[in-house]
Amino acid sequence: MAAPRRPPAPRSARPRRSVAPAAPREAPEGHRATLASYLARKSLKWTRQREHILDLFLRSGEHLTCEEIHARVVRRDPSVGLATVYRTLRLFVEADIAAERRFNDGVTRYEPAQAHHDHMLCVRCGRIVEFENDDIERLQESIATRHGFRLMSHRHELYGSCSSCST
Amino acid sequence: MAAPRRPPAPRSARPRRSVAPAAPREAPEGHRATLASYLARKSLKWTRQREHILDLFLRSGEHLTCEEIHARVVRRDPSVGLATVYRTLRLFVEADIAAERRFNDGVTRYEPAQAHHDHMLCVRCGRIVEFENDDIERLQESIATRHGFRLMSHRHELYGSCSSCST
DNA sequence: GTCCCTGCAAATATTTTGCATTATC
DNA sequence: GATAATGCAAAATATTTGCAGGGAC
């Protein structure tokens, strides 16, 4: 069978701004409209389950797995199936309102699309801190150029123990 | 039930690509001795299959999956099972002669342990280039410190298209 | 001889898909 | 009313484990 699957590369390369690091992020407000327009353009439908999933997804500023999203959505609408959640989050990524993240715990997590940033994770308590650093971004570019690569995206994760977990 | 199980890698969401050989590097010579001493210390045994797998693993400077290692080992010793390869590579990691790498293609790859480095991958042909950059390492440290983290490890991967694949 | 190790098959975990049915446009 | 979307169950993929037999020390 082996149906064609999603394209390989992790997407994300997007215009980067020089902004102070560690700023709490603003809730992405345009996402609902972006999705609506995407659905219209592709002749797809705005369903009850998509509405519920979107709602929950935008509201929770966390990095959720499909399983987690499903568990929460089901509380509002018990009929929603897990497969639909998986399908819907892929749709969100396609529509560019969600970003897919795979850390080292073997599950795929999603977060609302926003300006580029990377992650630092506490290996003890699981806390996730977002960061961005223009110097690193520039160094990456220069490394890529040096090796003849045209950079499309990257993944940069720091693992350690946070202040509350360090002895 | 179910003993604490390491998270299975996320299923591959796309066709696997053959991965081109990594940049040539010096064969880590102490690894054989390191393993022997580890086995002795833990009262484990040096078996025929471990010997074969080690041989192949050290010889090939690539980032191989267990499946790939198994396919090659079987050519020399058809009786070796896939499960043994999985078990053996976890042993190698435990003994510190192998490093586990998970890129974005959903499979776990292994490479002989060596000095720290990061990876840049071509999303078209799968070529893997290794790099290291002290400035980035330093910047990482300072980010971690600024957020109160004690840094333990990191993961830094660049994705793009290499010179042979760029139009 | 004692344990460790192995192969095989079956079990797990995560994600995807086939299909009949339902909902949206 | 045409077609996309859903739910469920089954499939696909990657990896782990139980167990009986074989092998290393």
Side-chain angles (χ1 to χ4, degrees), chain B residues 82-121:
Chain B
L82 178 57
T84 297
V85 175
Y86 274 103
R87 282 187 278 231
T88 301
L89 274 128
R90 275 201 294 170
L91 174 77
F92 287 179
V93 170
E94 203 55 49
D96 227 43
I97 65 167
E100 197 184 86
R101 300 279 185 181
R102 292 184 194 183
F103 302 122
N104 259 344
D105 59 353
V107 266
T108 303
R109 297 176 182 280
Y110 295 89
E111 61 178 334
Q114 49 185 315
H116 169 76
H117 62 271
D118 294 297
H119 296 87
M120 177 160 57
L121 298 87

Side-chain angles (χ1 to χ4, degrees), chain A residues 25 28 31 57-62 97-99 110-114 117:
Chain A
R25 67 162 166 257
H31 285 357
F57 175 65
L58 291 184
R59 170 173 335 278
S60 78
E62 303 169 57
I97 65 167
Y110 295 89
E111 62 178 334
Q114 48 184 314
H117 62 270

Side-chain angles (χ1 to χ4, degrees), chain B residues 5 8 11 44-45 47 49-50 79-81 84 87:
Chain B
R5 147 180 319 108
R11 292 188 357 57
L44 305 179
K45 291 164 184 173
T47 65
Q49 12 301 73
R50 283 175 183 171
S79 76
V80 174
T84 297
R87 282 187 278 231

Side-chain angles (χ1 to χ4, degrees), chain A residues 37-54:
Chain A
S37 111
Y38 178 86
L39 293 181
R41 180 158 22 99
K42 297 266 187 179
S43 321
L44 304 179
K45 291 164 185 173
W46 187 285
T47 65
R48 195 188 71 245
Q49 16 295 77
R50 283 176 184 172
E51 168 67 32
H52 282 150
I53 295 170
L54 176 66

